[in-house]
């Protein structure tokens, strides 16, 4: 990976042109699809991504525009600021032509994120909820509802305890009836896979509806 | 050669940007320094997204032309990394570059013909693709 700044030390272009070209011809890039894993701080987003990803989760930093709702400037309705957030992500290779990416994004109460870059082309989202801090996921739920992105609420039973039943969670979040609220354990691959399959079911519904219209 | 300008006060022979310290209250306090914009030095200060279709998951691969091109170290690193197709997010994570910076560098390299950026046209994946993902995930143990 080291880059040699002295051209005379490098191999002639024709020598190192051969190998990568041959590789490139063989490997047509897979079509990427993505699912967003959203939720408040420390609810188990990275655990969720790590449980199913074939690579250990990587982190990228990205700029996000936020609208802070009239707290600092009472005269203006909203103020826009940008902030840098860290995003953990992983992937699952479905086959050599299709690859699923999972992006774990932080939610932050009091701010509503502009997740447009992230949401563009996404299949859907899994909103991870910790019942002891249920309001942490409100911004994510609000955003996905407005963006029309299929989403599923997944209550993480990380510590094996479940303080509220799913009906109570649904009531607290006031999500539409067709939004699934389910329980899963972010530590276990099978459990995360099943939660993602519910997200994909929702995505399939949306895709079929879009095809009809 | 012209003589020294009589109207201008004589200044000691220091490089211009070292001459005057900015007044202390003009500078942001250390905690509030705009560190998030520092990485954009690599993009000559450009922060706007060049192409909104280049997303986190967009696949990028090196074009053979890149192997003879004159590139900055960061661009060279991207070109070397993408001998096998890779997503923009992975490039960003592996090179520890800010995603916004990576996206601009990738767009530059595409414009220079050094990278192939495989932009997916459709806004939302079609049912067949989703079915394949469902089948693929189901087969995971």
């Amino acid at each position: 990976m080291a880059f040699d700044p002295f051209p005379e030390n490098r191999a002639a272009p024709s020598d190192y042109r051969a190998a990568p070209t041959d590789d490139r011809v063989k490997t047509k890039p897979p079509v990427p699809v993505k699912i967003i894993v959203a939720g408040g701080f420390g609810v188990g987003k990275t655990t969720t991504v790590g449980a199913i990803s074939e690579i250990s989760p990587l982190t990228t930093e990205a700029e996000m525009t936020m609208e802070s709702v009239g707290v600092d400037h009472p005269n203006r309705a909203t103020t826009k600021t940008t902030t840098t957030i860290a995003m953990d992500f992983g992937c699952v290779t479905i086959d050599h032509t299709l690859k699923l990416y999972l992006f774990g994004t932080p939610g932050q109460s009091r701010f509503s994120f502009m997740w447009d870059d992230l949401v563009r082309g996404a299949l859907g989202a899994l909103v991870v909820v910790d019942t002891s801090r249920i309001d942490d996921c409100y911004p994510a739920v609000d955003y996905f509802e407005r963006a029309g992105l299929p989403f599923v609420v997944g209550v993480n039973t990380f510590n094996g305890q479940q303080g509220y039943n799913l009906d109570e969670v649904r009531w607290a979040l006031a999500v539409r009836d067709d939004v699934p609220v389910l329980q899963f354990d972010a530590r276990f691959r099978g459990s995360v896979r099943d939660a993602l399959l519910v997200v994909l079911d929702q995505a399939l519904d949306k895709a079929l509806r879009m095809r009809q219209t | 050669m012209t003589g020294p300008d009589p109207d201008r006060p004589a200044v000691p022979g220091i490089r211009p940007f070292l001459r005057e310290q900015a007044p202390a209250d003009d500078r942001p306090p250390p905690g509030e320094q705009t560190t998030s914009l520092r990485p954009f030095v690599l993009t000559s200060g450009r922060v706007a997204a060049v192409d909104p279709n280049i997303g986190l998951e967009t696949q990028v691969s090196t074009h053979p032309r890149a192997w003879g091109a004159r590139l900055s170290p960061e661009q060279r690193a991207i070109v070397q990394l993408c001998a096998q197709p890779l997503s923009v997010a992975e490039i960003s994570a592996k090179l520890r570059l800010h995603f916004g910076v990576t996206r601009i560098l990738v767009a530059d390299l595409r414009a220079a013909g050094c990278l192939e950026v495989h932009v997916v046209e459709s806004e939302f994946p079609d049912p067949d693709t989703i079915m394949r993902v469902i089948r693929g995930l189901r087969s995971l143990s």
Side-chain angles (χ1 to χ4, degrees), chain A residues 131-180:
Chain A
T131 47
S132 61
R133 288 169 295 143
I134 202 163
D135 48 345
D136 282 0
C137 70
Y138 289 168
V141 169
D142 283 348
Y143 185 87
F144 297 137
E145 275 182 350
R146 266 188 293 146
L149 190 78
F151 70 99
V152 169
V153 176
V155 179
N156 186 9
T157 53
F158 201 67
N159 43 16
Q161 289 180 354
Q162 177 62 50
Y164 300 88
N165 67 41
L166 295 179
D167 287 335
E168 286 172 310
V169 174
R170 176 185 290 283
W171 178 84
L173 289 176
V175 288
R176 286 194 322 267
D177 287 345
D178 57 333
V179 174

Side-chain angles (χ1 to χ4, degrees), chain B residues 49-51 54 101-112 115 117:
Chain B
V50 197
D51 183 351
I54 302 179
V101 173
T102 313
R103 177 148 81 165
I104 292 169
L105 294 178
V106 163
D108 284 353
L109 283 166
R110 172 165 74 164
L115 282 185
V117 178

Side-chain angles (χ1 to χ4, degrees), chain A residues 24 60-61 97 101 193, chain B residues 62 90 92 99 116 132 140:
Chain A
R24 199 184 58 82
T60 179
E61 292 198 321
T97 59
Y101 285 89
R193 178 199 60 199
Chain B
T62 302
E90 281 164 289
S92 158
F99 169 67
E116 286 177 58
R132 282 170 58 208
L140 283 184

